[in-house]
Amino acid sequence: MKILAIETSCDETGICILHYKVENGAIELCGNALASQIDIHAQYGGVFPSLAKRAHAEKFVPLLKEAMKEADVEHVAGPNLGADKKQLISEICAKDEILGENLSTYLQSHPKPEIDYIAVTVGPGLEPALWVGVTAAKVLSAIWDIPVIPINHMEGHIVTAAIEKTSDKEYRFADLAFPVLSLLVSGGHTELVIAEQFGSYKKIGQTRDDAVGEAFDKVARMLGLPYPGGPAVSKLAAQFREKNIENQFTLPRPMLHSQDYDFSFSGIKTATLYAIRDHGELNDEDKMALAAAFEDAAVEVLIKKTIRAAQEYGTPTVIVGGGVAGNTYLRAQLSSHVEALAKTGTDITVLFPEQWLATDNAVMIGMAAMVQVIAGEIKISALSELKADGNLSL
Ligand code: KG4
Ligand code: ZN
């Protein structure tokens, strides 16, 4: 059982092929292609939607070829594209000529492959970017006659923390104790979500302003660091901690003691700005100190609220998902808090995605579809109903 998965919600174009082996439950990552647009957006300090759309459209077919080649997918012989099919492609791609032309050329020489489902991110994300993946999925589905499974990007981030690598290219889903509490931390989201099982989610808190990844990116800009700022800020912070000296900066922990599970990061960001203004020009050591002060504040709020939610809701498993889940300090701090809790008799298992799967990719989208396949509850969408929704929630 093979799934072709597509991700274009932000600034990464991802395409992969996953093969589910019913006999032993293994999921093989047979082909994977990913193109980052970091270079394109770096000069703007954030993602520029119309440029993202164009880059996705240009990269889609080359990446599809790359992933299919690596997966060595067989193409079953079939008729060449007739004028009617070409017309259909240009109708589906009416708002995206580059994509339409590229797909038309590709499909001319690539008849239906041995793929059972196409999984595609339908939201949340930047709508112009999401539409590229959705439109491409529609075309491939219509021409190859393969059903489409629409996937929520955030669910992809959650399930990706629950896979275990069993060999070089094989994964399986870990046996999780539900309910699971997920801390979702990315460039667009900061939320706490409880899952009774995969597919059934309840949001218990979220940011009231900036997402934590966005705050990392903005602080990075203030410190003159490149986009995306998370890894750069974190690296400076780690350099500061190695020095083992007192930090001249302290930043606030907004909403740390609020009784709800909401977050606020714009206050830390503004406090960082004021700290820079009050201090005057920053030398390298000042920048490291400020990066550490910011990371300390952001991580403390995330961890304390997550642990409190896990205790209040009695969730035996905590998952961290999204780009910021790659943050080494967050990983280390949460793990050590959970170890300390275990000594007091509260056992919580914390799961993080593999580092390379924390930021956006297609594997997470394919894995979310695999959850449906394994449960035998595949939710296919009619092509006429398939649409991008930038604000889709879990
Ligand atoms: O999930 P993701 O790839 O895209 C969205 O869905 O938003 O997350 C990207 C975000 C960016 O804001 C980036 O700065 C942040 O995740 N990020 C990090 C780290 N790696 C990526 N933030 C802190 N530490 C990191 N190591
Ligand atoms: Zn994401």
Side-chain angles (χ1 to χ4, degrees):
M1 222 291 311
K2 286 188 183 154
I3 291 183
L4 169 71
I6 300 168
E7 155 66 34
T8 66
S9 70
C10 190
D11 60 349
E12 314 278 342
T13 319
I15 299 183
C16 82
I17 292 117
L18 295 178
H19 180 189
Y20 175 58
K21 299 172 181 170
V22 189
E23 9 17 297
N24 62 4
I27 302 168
E28 185 191 350
L29 175 57
C30 334
N32 186 39
L34 185 67
S36 168
Q37 302 173 6
I38 285 174
D39 295 348
I40 296 173
H41 303 295
Q43 56 183 309
Y44 305 101
V47 182
F48 201 94
S50 62
L51 293 180
K53 175 186 180 220
R54 194 186 165 93
H56 284 305
E58 286 171 352
K59 279 281 166 60
F60 189 88
V61 168
L63 292 172
L64 177 63
K65 278 186 186 160
E66 185 187 328
M68 294 288 259
K69 191 170 171 216
E70 188 191 349
D72 210 5
V73 178
E74 302 252 332
H75 288 266
V76 211
N80 274 349
L81 282 190
D84 55 335
K85 293 274 171 70
K86 285 189 183 160
Q87 174 63 21
L88 179 62
I89 297 174
S90 61
E91 273 167 26
I92 299 175
C93 297
K95 289 187 187 152
D96 202 329
E97 268 178 45
I98 301 175
L99 182 68
E101 279 167 22
N102 288 353
L103 280 170
S104 205
T105 311
Y106 171 77
L107 288 165
Q108 188 66 39
S109 53
H110 293 82
K112 180 175 172 140
E114 289 187 327
I115 296 282
D116 301 274
Y117 297 97
I118 296 167
V120 63
T121 307
V122 290
L126 298 171
E127 277 191 17
L130 286 163
W131 270 113
V132 178
V134 170
T135 305
K138 278 190 188 190
V139 169
L140 297 177
S141 171
I143 303 298
W144 285 341
D145 191 23
I146 298 174
V148 176
I149 307 176
I151 298 292
N152 182 310
H153 179 87
M154 301 316 287
E155 183 169 32
H157 278 309
I158 295 176
V159 305
T160 303
I163 54 172
E164 296 172 340
K165 199 168 191 171
T166 50
S167 70
D168 185 23
K169 283 194 164 179
E170 285 193 344
Y171 293 86
R172 69 178 190 94
F173 278 96
D175 285 327
L176 296 190
F178 282 90
V180 168
L181 172 69
S182 297
L183 170 67
L184 294 174
V185 277
S186 70
H189 289 78
T190 304
E191 49 194 43
L192 280 166
V193 175
I194 292 193
E196 290 302 328
Q197 55 181 339
F198 286 146
S200 155
Y201 304 100
K202 187 175 120 197
K203 203 186 289 177
I204 59 165
Q206 63 189 320
T207 182
R208 296 195 181 168
D209 39 60
D210 291 355
V212 64
E214 189 182 355
F216 265 99
D217 294 337
K218 288 180 178 166
V219 167
R221 266 183 101 171
M222 295 175 203
L223 297 177
L225 301 169
Y227 174 86
V233 168
S234 192
K235 197 171 153 199
L236 279 196
Q239 286 168 355
F240 178 79
R241 285 187 204 104
E242 264 173 28
K243 292 177 185 280
N244 230 342
I245 52 172
E246 205 182 320
N247 199 331
Q248 57 178 312
F249 301 106
T250 40
L251 294 170
R253 273 87 171 133
M255 299 186 73
L256 182 61
H257 300 293
S258 71
Q259 287 312 299
D260 53 27
Y261 293 106
D262 284 350
F263 299 95
S264 164
F265 291 99
S266 78
I268 312 182
K269 181 195 67 188
T270 313
T272 309
L273 194 66
Y274 291 159
I276 295 172
R277 188 195 59 191
D278 295 345
H279 184 279
E281 201 175 329
L282 301 171
N283 64 26
D284 287 351
E285 189 157 303
D286 299 330
K287 287 184 184 175
M288 287 178 202
L290 205 46
F294 170 76
E295 193 175 52
D296 284 348
V299 165
E300 182 178 343
V301 184
L302 290 173
I303 288 180
K304 294 230 165 116
K305 287 224 155 163
T306 303
I307 300 258
R308 188 156 63 73
Q311 288 179 302
E312 187 179 317
Y313 286 86
T315 55
T317 311
V318 169
I319 272 179
V320 187
V324 186
N327 183 283
T328 26
Y329 187 65
L330 171 66
R331 289 164 96 106
Q333 287 293 107
L334 186 54
S335 302
S336 77
H337 272 72
V338 164
E339 269 167 37
L341 265 186
K343 291 193 183 120
T344 67
T346 305
D347 282 315
I348 297 174
T349 304
V350 189
L351 299 172
F352 300 96
E354 269 184 68
Q355 283 283 357
W356 75 282
L357 291 173
T359 43
D360 294 348
N361 61 81
V363 180
M364 59 190 255
I365 304 309
M367 288 296 177
M370 280 300 174
V371 168
Q372 298 186 19
V373 168
I374 294 167
E377 289 170 11
I378 305 171
K379 296 177 195 128
I380 287 164
S381 167
L383 288 195
S384 56
E385 275 164 33
L386 196 63
K387 60 174 179 30
D389 178 357
N391 296 317
L392 187 68
S393 79
L394 275 169

